[in-house]
Amino acid sequence: MDDLYREVIIEHYKNPSYRGYLDPHDYAFADSNPLCGDHIEITLRVDDQNRISQAAFQGHGCAISQASADLLLESIIGKPLEEVKHLDKDYVLDLLGLDLGPVRLKCALLSLKVLKAGVYGLGEAPDSLVE
Amino acid sequence: MTFDVTQIRADFPILQREVRPGVPVVYLDSTATAQKPLAVIQAMDDYYRRSNANIHRGVHTLAEEATALYEQAREKIARFINAPSARQIIYTRNTTESINLVAYSWARANLQPGDLVILTEMEHHSNLVPWHMLAMERDIRLEFIPVTENGLLDLEAYHKLLEQTPKLVAFTHMSNVLGTINPAAEIIRLAHQAGAVTLLDGAQSVPHFAVDVQALEVDFLAFSAHKMCGPTGIGVLYGKADLLEAMPPFLGGGDMIREVKLRSFKPNALPHKFEAGTPAIAEAIGFGAAIDYLSRVGMKNIAAHEHEITQYTLERLEEIPGVKLFGPSAEHKGGVAAFTLEGVHPHDVAQILDQDGIAVRAGHHCAQPLHEKFHIPATSRASFYLYSTKEEVDRLVDGIYKVKKYFG
Ligand SMILES: Cc1ncc(COP(=O)(O)O)c(C=O)c1O
């Protein structure tokens, strides 16, 4: 349990490297967690080979949701867009180095949900994207 | 009876529990649901062991006993809120269903397009969404008594709204976020002068202080057993007899009928008209035991104890740099302390407190519009009941300092 607030997470929460909004951008998507009101908006730029060259997020939420967004974006820079479509729950949990209960899992996965919905060009971000 | 919180705590088995080895539970979430004394657990257990049967239609001994216990509980509830008669106590599942019953039955029979319903900005979603749904269907108008910066209802604005001759004024007796205890008697009197019917959401008042429906002259009162030491799955709608008599049934089925033909039915008398199907029998009996328990302790004692705890909590929380409290001062407030901690999301506050067994709630507490009004997505909320202690408040304060250290 104490692990939940490991220094990495507090550090990424307090001093995120990828907080912001890219204007212009190639991809943008936002969504909220209706249970707690956490909100995340992600913007992406891709290069001519469709690799992610820049990424940024903005929004508000708990340490878990904000830190996982920062870690997630850090990890996808340079990756082909196509690869993002295959990222799953375990990928985010590995980044966080955590095992989470059902409530906090939603916080942790919000950014991946938003990212994938944006890449797929969906109108909304269903839970099924990260299951 | 003299009030001794140590003795009271001994009545609640769950309060003896450790959340993890060596970490006793500090339960500060009674606004969401209250813990249950042994007397309530035993009443339901006894019923299932000794008297379980379906009610009303049977003539055998078990059915007689079950019916008697179920109806005795209704009488206890009636006395508890000083209702003129037990037939004005309608069993529902909870406060939410009670409000929906009024919205479906009374409102659909009595409201026309363009009619005005007055609510407040501090309502729980359960006293908002049924009216949104009705507004979409019927084109009724909704107006809201504003909440002032210090968490009270703006009664001047209410006076103005009343000039528009509302048909219904539906409001909470006590806010589950701000803790504000609203001046219900005055709001009801003014509503009646304007010709409106009144619905009081008593989910947070009936459990915590004496509520007298005749003194208030309220038309409808809704509350839930689970917030007052009773089981989940049962609540009450109280209504004035003439209103309930005139209302069409809500759900159709067994028990709510006097007579059924292939193509028609005659509804049953009150209260059964609104109780279709096999009800929550054990839960009603458990509710009766909860009323007995609260009455034995005394609602005055409970209210006084909670007031003391609340005052102490506000004093202690105000000392902590970075803590911002929401709601009025202790004199206008029940046992609720909603707060934010600068730089830390309420989820994280609640999660770190949980490490020390401290149970608080984090989120918008089913009052999203109220949080929007104060420009915050969420708060952490500690809430109290008859078994809460100052030592628990101290543990909360220590816990908040620990949160600050983590995020330092
Ligand atoms: C003021 C208020 N109204 C209504 C409700 C809804 O109660 P229930 O969920 O039992 O229907 C609550 C519960 O939190 C409440 O605090």
Side-chain angles (χ1 to χ4, degrees), chain B residues 310-336:
Chain B
T310 305
Q311 208 154 18
Y312 181 68
T313 306
L314 299 188
E315 279 165 25
R316 296 268 359 237
L317 290 183
E318 271 161 10
E319 285 168 12
I320 306 175
V323 165
K324 182 169 192 280
L325 280 156
F326 295 86
S329 57
E331 64 185 303
H332 298 290
K333 194 174 167 94
V336 179

PDB file of all heavy atoms in Angstrom, chain B residues 310-336:
ATOM      1  N   THR B 310     -18.252  17.684  15.925  1.00  0.00           N
ATOM      2  CA  THR B 310     -18.113  18.537  14.742  1.00  0.00           C
ATOM      3  C   THR B 310     -17.328  19.798  15.078  1.00  0.00           C
ATOM      4  O   THR B 310     -16.411  20.194  14.353  1.00  0.00           O
ATOM      5  CB  THR B 310     -19.500  18.908  14.191  1.00  0.00           C
ATOM      6  OG1 THR B 310     -20.231  17.707  13.958  1.00  0.00           O
ATOM      7  CG2 THR B 310     -19.394  19.682  12.887  1.00  0.00           C
ATOM      8  N   GLN B 311     -17.702  20.401  16.203  1.00  0.00           N
ATOM      9  CA  GLN B 311     -17.015  21.619  16.621  1.00  0.00           C
ATOM     10  C   GLN B 311     -15.512  21.356  16.814  1.00  0.00           C
ATOM     11  O   GLN B 311     -14.665  22.110  16.350  1.00  0.00           O
ATOM     12  CB  GLN B 311     -17.624  22.096  17.935  1.00  0.00           C
ATOM     13  CG  GLN B 311     -17.529  23.564  18.137  1.00  0.00           C
ATOM     14  CD  GLN B 311     -18.651  24.050  19.052  1.00  0.00           C
ATOM     15  OE1 GLN B 311     -19.266  23.260  19.775  1.00  0.00           O
ATOM     16  NE2 GLN B 311     -18.921  25.330  19.023  1.00  0.00           N
ATOM     17  N   TYR B 312     -15.228  20.255  17.463  1.00  0.00           N
ATOM     18  CA  TYR B 312     -13.834  19.873  17.708  1.00  0.00           C
ATOM     19  C   TYR B 312     -13.108  19.643  16.374  1.00  0.00           C
ATOM     20  O   TYR B 312     -11.970  20.094  16.187  1.00  0.00           O
ATOM     21  CB  TYR B 312     -13.800  18.615  18.577  1.00  0.00           C
ATOM     22  CG  TYR B 312     -12.407  18.141  18.919  1.00  0.00           C
ATOM     23  CD1 TYR B 312     -11.589  18.879  19.763  1.00  0.00           C
ATOM     24  CD2 TYR B 312     -11.908  16.949  18.388  1.00  0.00           C
ATOM     25  CE1 TYR B 312     -10.307  18.443  20.076  1.00  0.00           C
ATOM     26  CE2 TYR B 312     -10.634  16.500  18.696  1.00  0.00           C
ATOM     27  CZ  TYR B 312      -9.834  17.255  19.541  1.00  0.00           C
ATOM     28  OH  TYR B 312      -8.567  16.833  19.844  1.00  0.00           O
ATOM     29  N   THR B 313     -13.779  18.953  15.452  1.00  0.00           N
ATOM     30  CA  THR B 313     -13.160  18.662  14.157  1.00  0.00           C
ATOM     31  C   THR B 313     -12.829  19.948  13.407  1.00  0.00           C
ATOM     32  O   THR B 313     -11.733  20.091  12.858  1.00  0.00           O
ATOM     33  CB  THR B 313     -14.117  17.822  13.287  1.00  0.00           C
ATOM     34  OG1 THR B 313     -14.499  16.668  14.030  1.00  0.00           O
ATOM     35  CG2 THR B 313     -13.457  17.395  11.998  1.00  0.00           C
ATOM     36  N   LEU B 314     -13.780  20.865  13.389  1.00  0.00           N
ATOM     37  CA  LEU B 314     -13.547  22.111  12.655  1.00  0.00           C
ATOM     38  C   LEU B 314     -12.352  22.861  13.256  1.00  0.00           C
ATOM     39  O   LEU B 314     -11.483  23.347  12.536  1.00  0.00           O
ATOM     40  CB  LEU B 314     -14.797  22.995  12.658  1.00  0.00           C
ATOM     41  CG  LEU B 314     -16.047  22.392  11.998  1.00  0.00           C
ATOM     42  CD1 LEU B 314     -17.157  23.428  11.898  1.00  0.00           C
ATOM     43  CD2 LEU B 314     -15.743  21.827  10.617  1.00  0.00           C
ATOM     44  N   GLU B 315     -12.307  22.905  14.584  1.00  0.00           N
ATOM     45  CA  GLU B 315     -11.175  23.569  15.243  1.00  0.00           C
ATOM     46  C   GLU B 315      -9.856  22.925  14.859  1.00  0.00           C
ATOM     47  O   GLU B 315      -8.879  23.598  14.521  1.00  0.00           O
ATOM     48  CB  GLU B 315     -11.317  23.488  16.768  1.00  0.00           C
ATOM     49  CG  GLU B 315     -12.246  24.528  17.360  1.00  0.00           C
ATOM     50  CD  GLU B 315     -12.631  24.174  18.796  1.00  0.00           C
ATOM     51  OE1 GLU B 315     -11.851  23.441  19.453  1.00  0.00           O
ATOM     52  OE2 GLU B 315     -13.713  24.609  19.239  1.00  0.00           O
ATOM     53  N   ARG B 316      -9.828  21.599  14.921  1.00  0.00           N
ATOM     54  CA  ARG B 316      -8.571  20.906  14.648  1.00  0.00           C
ATOM     55  C   ARG B 316      -8.147  21.027  13.181  1.00  0.00           C
ATOM     56  O   ARG B 316      -6.978  21.196  12.873  1.00  0.00           O
ATOM     57  CB  ARG B 316      -8.670  19.417  15.041  1.00  0.00           C
ATOM     58  CG  ARG B 316      -8.876  19.154  16.492  1.00  0.00           C
ATOM     59  CD  ARG B 316      -7.610  18.953  17.335  1.00  0.00           C
ATOM     60  NE  ARG B 316      -6.299  18.987  16.734  1.00  0.00           N
ATOM     61  CZ  ARG B 316      -5.408  18.015  16.787  1.00  0.00           C
ATOM     62  NH1 ARG B 316      -5.694  16.891  17.402  1.00  0.00           N
ATOM     63  NH2 ARG B 316      -4.224  18.145  16.249  1.00  0.00           N
ATOM     64  N   LEU B 317      -9.145  20.919  12.260  1.00  0.00           N
ATOM     65  CA  LEU B 317      -8.790  20.972  10.839  1.00  0.00           C
ATOM     66  C   LEU B 317      -8.345  22.375  10.433  1.00  0.00           C
ATOM     67  O   LEU B 317      -7.475  22.539   9.579  1.00  0.00           O
ATOM     68  CB  LEU B 317      -9.957  20.507   9.961  1.00  0.00           C
ATOM     69  CG  LEU B 317     -10.292  19.016  10.016  1.00  0.00           C
ATOM     70  CD1 LEU B 317     -11.420  18.691   9.042  1.00  0.00           C
ATOM     71  CD2 LEU B 317      -9.083  18.148   9.691  1.00  0.00           C
ATOM     72  N   GLU B 318      -8.957  23.376  11.053  1.00  0.00           N
ATOM     73  CA  GLU B 318      -8.598  24.755  10.705  1.00  0.00           C
ATOM     74  C   GLU B 318      -7.140  25.068  11.054  1.00  0.00           C
ATOM     75  O   GLU B 318      -6.532  25.951  10.454  1.00  0.00           O
ATOM     76  CB  GLU B 318      -9.531  25.747  11.412  1.00  0.00           C
ATOM     77  CG  GLU B 318     -10.760  26.055  10.589  1.00  0.00           C
ATOM     78  CD  GLU B 318     -11.905  26.644  11.387  1.00  0.00           C
ATOM     79  OE1 GLU B 318     -11.697  26.993  12.571  1.00  0.00           O
ATOM     80  OE2 GLU B 318     -13.006  26.741  10.839  1.00  0.00           O
ATOM     81  N   GLU B 319      -6.597  24.322  12.026  1.00  0.00           N
ATOM     82  CA  GLU B 319      -5.189  24.538  12.416  1.00  0.00           C
ATOM     83  C   GLU B 319      -4.205  24.096  11.340  1.00  0.00           C
ATOM     84  O   GLU B 319      -3.050  24.475  11.368  1.00  0.00           O
ATOM     85  CB  GLU B 319      -4.849  23.648  13.637  1.00  0.00           C
ATOM     86  CG  GLU B 319      -5.398  24.086  14.949  1.00  0.00           C
ATOM     87  CD  GLU B 319      -5.221  22.952  15.971  1.00  0.00           C
ATOM     88  OE1 GLU B 319      -4.489  21.966  15.691  1.00  0.00           O
ATOM     89  OE2 GLU B 319      -5.830  23.063  17.036  1.00  0.00           O
ATOM     90  N   ILE B 320      -4.655  23.222  10.430  1.00  0.00           N
ATOM     91  CA  ILE B 320      -3.694  22.593   9.514  1.00  0.00           C
ATOM     92  C   ILE B 320      -3.479  23.488   8.294  1.00  0.00           C
ATOM     93  O   ILE B 320      -4.424  23.752   7.560  1.00  0.00           O
ATOM     94  CB  ILE B 320      -4.201  21.208   9.047  1.00  0.00           C
ATOM     95  CG1 ILE B 320      -4.551  20.334  10.258  1.00  0.00           C
ATOM     96  CG2 ILE B 320      -3.175  20.529   8.152  1.00  0.00           C
ATOM     97  CD1 ILE B 320      -5.179  19.002   9.881  1.00  0.00           C
ATOM     98  N   PRO B 321      -2.239  23.936   8.058  1.00  0.00           N
ATOM     99  CA  PRO B 321      -1.998  24.778   6.887  1.00  0.00           C
ATOM    100  C   PRO B 321      -2.337  24.019   5.608  1.00  0.00           C
ATOM    101  O   PRO B 321      -1.982  22.838   5.479  1.00  0.00           O
ATOM    102  CB  PRO B 321      -0.495  25.067   6.962  1.00  0.00           C
ATOM    103  CG  PRO B 321      -0.088  24.754   8.362  1.00  0.00           C
ATOM    104  CD  PRO B 321      -1.022  23.702   8.860  1.00  0.00           C
ATOM    105  N   GLY B 322      -3.036  24.690   4.693  1.00  0.00           N
ATOM    106  CA  GLY B 322      -3.373  24.061   3.412  1.00  0.00           C
ATOM    107  C   GLY B 322      -4.743  23.401   3.405  1.00  0.00           C
ATOM    108  O   GLY B 322      -5.261  23.059   2.350  1.00  0.00           O
ATOM    109  N   VAL B 323      -5.365  23.227   4.569  1.00  0.00           N
ATOM    110  CA  VAL B 323      -6.710  22.636   4.610  1.00  0.00           C
ATOM    111  C   VAL B 323      -7.743  23.741   4.423  1.00  0.00           C
ATOM    112  O   VAL B 323      -7.689  24.780   5.067  1.00  0.00           O
ATOM    113  CB  VAL B 323      -6.967  21.908   5.944  1.00  0.00           C
ATOM    114  CG1 VAL B 323      -8.458  21.625   6.128  1.00  0.00           C
ATOM    115  CG2 VAL B 323      -6.188  20.600   5.996  1.00  0.00           C
ATOM    116  N   LYS B 324      -8.662  23.490   3.491  1.00  0.00           N
ATOM    117  CA  LYS B 324      -9.773  24.428   3.314  1.00  0.00           C
ATOM    118  C   LYS B 324     -11.071  23.674   3.582  1.00  0.00           C
ATOM    119  O   LYS B 324     -11.323  22.629   2.992  1.00  0.00           O
ATOM    120  CB  LYS B 324      -9.755  24.959   1.875  1.00  0.00           C
ATOM    121  CG  LYS B 324     -10.841  25.970   1.588  1.00  0.00           C
ATOM    122  CD  LYS B 324     -10.579  26.647   0.233  1.00  0.00           C
ATOM    123  CE  LYS B 324     -11.472  27.862   0.034  1.00  0.00           C
ATOM    124  NZ  LYS B 324     -12.800  27.634  -0.376  1.00  0.00           N
ATOM    125  N   LEU B 325     -11.864  24.218   4.497  1.00  0.00           N
ATOM    126  CA  LEU B 325     -13.129  23.584   4.859  1.00  0.00           C
ATOM    127  C   LEU B 325     -14.285  24.189   4.073  1.00  0.00           C
ATOM    128  O   LEU B 325     -14.271  25.383   3.771  1.00  0.00           O
ATOM    129  CB  LEU B 325     -13.392  23.782   6.356  1.00  0.00           C
ATOM    130  CG  LEU B 325     -12.654  22.833   7.286  1.00  0.00           C
ATOM    131  CD1 LEU B 325     -12.507  23.448   8.657  1.00  0.00           C
ATOM    132  CD2 LEU B 325     -13.393  21.499   7.375  1.00  0.00           C
ATOM    133  N   PHE B 326     -15.286  23.367   3.753  1.00  0.00           N
ATOM    134  CA  PHE B 326     -16.464  23.860   3.045  1.00  0.00           C
ATOM    135  C   PHE B 326     -17.673  23.767   3.958  1.00  0.00           C
ATOM    136  O   PHE B 326     -17.798  22.819   4.733  1.00  0.00           O
ATOM    137  CB  PHE B 326     -16.683  23.070   1.760  1.00  0.00           C
ATOM    138  CG  PHE B 326     -15.576  23.284   0.777  1.00  0.00           C
ATOM    139  CD1 PHE B 326     -14.423  22.513   0.837  1.00  0.00           C
ATOM    140  CD2 PHE B 326     -15.651  24.304  -0.152  1.00  0.00           C
ATOM    141  CE1 PHE B 326     -13.370  22.739  -0.034  1.00  0.00           C
ATOM    142  CE2 PHE B 326     -14.608  24.543  -1.032  1.00  0.00           C
ATOM    143  CZ  PHE B 326     -13.469  23.756  -0.979  1.00  0.00           C
ATOM    144  N   GLY B 327     -18.543  24.753   3.854  1.00  0.00           N
ATOM    145  CA  GLY B 327     -19.764  24.716   4.647  1.00  0.00           C
ATOM    146  C   GLY B 327     -19.737  25.732   5.759  1.00  0.00           C
ATOM    147  O   GLY B 327     -18.727  26.401   5.996  1.00  0.00           O
ATOM    148  N   PRO B 328     -20.870  25.846   6.447  1.00  0.00           N
ATOM    149  CA  PRO B 328     -21.031  26.883   7.463  1.00  0.00           C
ATOM    150  C   PRO B 328     -20.303  26.541   8.767  1.00  0.00           C
ATOM    151  O   PRO B 328     -19.723  25.459   8.895  1.00  0.00           O
ATOM    152  CB  PRO B 328     -22.541  26.916   7.683  1.00  0.00           C
ATOM    153  CG  PRO B 328     -23.005  25.543   7.352  1.00  0.00           C
ATOM    154  CD  PRO B 328     -22.087  25.035   6.287  1.00  0.00           C
ATOM    155  N   SER B 329     -20.365  27.453   9.717  1.00  0.00           N
ATOM    156  CA  SER B 329     -19.770  27.222  11.039  1.00  0.00           C
ATOM    157  C   SER B 329     -20.607  26.176  11.786  1.00  0.00           C
ATOM    158  O   SER B 329     -21.722  25.843  11.380  1.00  0.00           O
ATOM    159  CB  SER B 329     -19.736  28.529  11.817  1.00  0.00           C
ATOM    160  OG  SER B 329     -21.049  29.045  11.901  1.00  0.00           O
ATOM    161  N   ALA B 330     -20.051  25.678  12.891  1.00  0.00           N
ATOM    162  CA  ALA B 330     -20.646  24.524  13.574  1.00  0.00           C
ATOM    163  C   ALA B 330     -22.105  24.745  13.985  1.00  0.00           C
ATOM    164  O   ALA B 330     -22.884  23.801  14.039  1.00  0.00           O
ATOM    165  CB  ALA B 330     -19.804  24.171  14.793  1.00  0.00           C
ATOM    166  N   GLU B 331     -22.494  25.987  14.258  1.00  0.00           N
ATOM    167  CA  GLU B 331     -23.865  26.206  14.740  1.00  0.00           C
ATOM    168  C   GLU B 331     -24.931  25.850  13.696  1.00  0.00           C
ATOM    169  O   GLU B 331     -26.060  25.524  14.042  1.00  0.00           O
ATOM    170  CB  GLU B 331     -24.038  27.655  15.220  1.00  0.00           C
ATOM    171  CG  GLU B 331     -23.875  28.647  14.095  1.00  0.00           C
ATOM    172  CD  GLU B 331     -23.913  30.096  14.551  1.00  0.00           C
ATOM    173  OE1 GLU B 331     -24.911  30.486  15.172  1.00  0.00           O
ATOM    174  OE2 GLU B 331     -22.939  30.829  14.274  1.00  0.00           O
ATOM    175  N   HIS B 332     -24.574  25.943  12.394  1.00  0.00           N
ATOM    176  CA  HIS B 332     -25.553  25.637  11.340  1.00  0.00           C
ATOM    177  C   HIS B 332     -25.295  24.277  10.709  1.00  0.00           C
ATOM    178  O   HIS B 332     -25.807  23.994   9.627  1.00  0.00           O
ATOM    179  CB  HIS B 332     -25.486  26.688  10.230  1.00  0.00           C
ATOM    180  CG  HIS B 332     -25.829  28.071  10.676  1.00  0.00           C
ATOM    181  ND1 HIS B 332     -27.106  28.430  11.037  1.00  0.00           N
ATOM    182  CD2 HIS B 332     -25.060  29.163  10.838  1.00  0.00           C
ATOM    183  CE1 HIS B 332     -27.116  29.703  11.394  1.00  0.00           C
ATOM    184  NE2 HIS B 332     -25.886  30.169  11.295  1.00  0.00           N
ATOM    185  N   LYS B 333     -24.487  23.460  11.357  1.00  0.00           N
ATOM    186  CA  LYS B 333     -23.913  22.332  10.647  1.00  0.00           C
ATOM    187  C   LYS B 333     -24.090  21.022  11.407  1.00  0.00           C
ATOM    188  O   LYS B 333     -23.938  20.986  12.622  1.00  0.00           O
ATOM    189  CB  LYS B 333     -22.423  22.637  10.477  1.00  0.00           C
ATOM    190  CG  LYS B 333     -21.655  21.806   9.515  1.00  0.00           C
ATOM    191  CD  LYS B 333     -20.251  22.410   9.431  1.00  0.00           C
ATOM    192  CE  LYS B 333     -19.279  21.510   8.740  1.00  0.00           C
ATOM    193  NZ  LYS B 333     -19.152  21.787   7.321  1.00  0.00           N
ATOM    194  N   GLY B 334     -24.385  19.953  10.683  1.00  0.00           N
ATOM    195  CA  GLY B 334     -24.391  18.611  11.254  1.00  0.00           C
ATOM    196  C   GLY B 334     -23.004  17.992  11.159  1.00  0.00           C
ATOM    197  O   GLY B 334     -22.028  18.669  10.819  1.00  0.00           O
ATOM    198  N   GLY B 335     -22.904  16.696  11.446  1.00  0.00           N
ATOM    199  CA  GLY B 335     -21.615  16.033  11.579  1.00  0.00           C
ATOM    200  C   GLY B 335     -20.908  15.695  10.291  1.00  0.00           C
ATOM    201  O   GLY B 335     -20.644  14.521  10.003  1.00  0.00           O
ATOM    202  N   VAL B 336     -20.574  16.710   9.515  1.00  0.00           N
ATOM    203  CA  VAL B 336     -19.903  16.504   8.236  1.00  0.00           C
ATOM    204  C   VAL B 336     -18.787  17.530   8.093  1.00  0.00           C
ATOM    205  O   VAL B 336     -19.011  18.707   8.359  1.00  0.00           O
ATOM    206  CB  VAL B 336     -20.886  16.716   7.054  1.00  0.00           C
ATOM    207  CG1 VAL B 336     -20.173  16.531   5.726  1.00  0.00           C
ATOM    208  CG2 VAL B 336     -22.068  15.774   7.148  1.00  0.00           C
TER     209      VAL B 336
END
